[in-house]
Amino acid sequence: VPKIYRMRLFAKNKVLAKSRFWYFMKKLNKAKKSGGELLAVNELFDNGPTKVKNYGIWLRYESRTNTHNMYKEFRDVTINGAVSQMYSEMAGRHRAHPNTIQIINTATLKASECKRDHILEMHDGKLKFPIIRKMPLVAKKMRSTFQARRPMTFVR
């Protein structure tokens, strides 16, 4: 009886997901594409994509000099959004290419499990954001494309 392996991967499309699967199978289990077959490729969706959650991502990436392990936290409505944020941040802060990043584990975190300051500061129940550019709506007949004076961009 052949063994069945299951893996949760993050990829842009099915072709890349299959490629990533065989990449990890070769590394972890000495199994090649020629010696196996894929039974199914399914896209997973979050069950509550309307609520913001905290996500922890454990990853490994290759820099120009070495391989590094890392743990990062993100706030997003879906795990896919959090992984997209992670890829963008790794590209910006560490110049890491997406193909050098290996996601080891992902988890949805409770507020008490979060460690990073930029996530913890969002847990305050009295958190408020200022409305900076609240401009009163001008009546349609009073509007004009060009005006002689600058607009007021704040409310008195």
Side-chain angles (χ1 to χ4, degrees), residues 34-52:
S34 59
E37 72 174 295
L38 288 172
L39 300 176
V41 179
N42 300 320
E43 189 176 349
L44 302 175
F45 298 99
D46 284 316
N47 50 9
T50 55
K51 186 173 176 250
V52 177

Side-chain angles (χ1 to χ4, degrees), residues 84-96:
S84 296
Q85 280 186 51
M86 183 272 303
Y87 277 119
S88 297
E89 188 173 312
M90 291 302 292
R93 288 185 198 269
H94 304 283
R95 302 293 184 262

Side-chain angles (χ1 to χ4, degrees), residues 14-87:
K14 281 189 176 185
V15 175
L16 289 174
K18 289 175 185 178
S19 172
R20 212 80 184 122
F21 174 79
W22 289 116
Y23 169 82
F24 285 120
M25 284 298 286
K26 203 182 292 181
K27 280 195 174 244
L28 298 170
N29 303 321
K30 288 189 176 178
K32 291 187 347 194
K33 190 177 179 182
S34 59
E37 72 174 295
L38 288 172
L39 300 176
V41 179
N42 300 320
E43 189 176 349
L44 302 175
F45 298 99
D46 284 316
N47 50 9
T50 55
K51 186 173 176 250
V52 177
K53 292 174 281 300
N54 307 309
Y55 292 102
I57 301 176
W58 289 263
L59 62 111
R60 174 181 168 189
Y61 80 100
E62 289 173 34
S63 69
R64 291 175 184 147
T65 54
N66 207 350
T67 305
H68 308 279
N69 293 320
M70 202 176 272
Y71 166 73
K72 288 190 163 291
E73 288 179 1
F74 299 96
R75 278 173 66 82
D76 208 296
V77 290
T78 62
I79 187 69
N80 290 341
V83 169
S84 296
Q85 280 186 51
M86 183 272 303
Y87 277 119

Side-chain angles (χ1 to χ4, degrees), residues 1 9 27 50 91-92 101 103 143 147:
V1 178
L9 301 165
K27 280 195 174 244
T50 55
I101 298 169
I103 297 171
R143 286 184 210 166
Q147 271 191 325

Side-chain angles (χ1 to χ4, degrees), residues 102-128:
Q102 297 175 10
I103 297 171
I104 298 165
N105 188 19
T106 58
T108 306
L109 306 173
K110 295 188 202 101
S112 59
E113 295 172 333
C114 293
K115 300 172 188 171
R116 304 292 187 248
D117 289 337
H118 69 280
I119 302 297
L120 291 172
E121 70 184 2
M122 295 294 183
H123 293 163
D124 183 17
K126 298 173 188 161
L127 187 68
K128 289 182 179 179

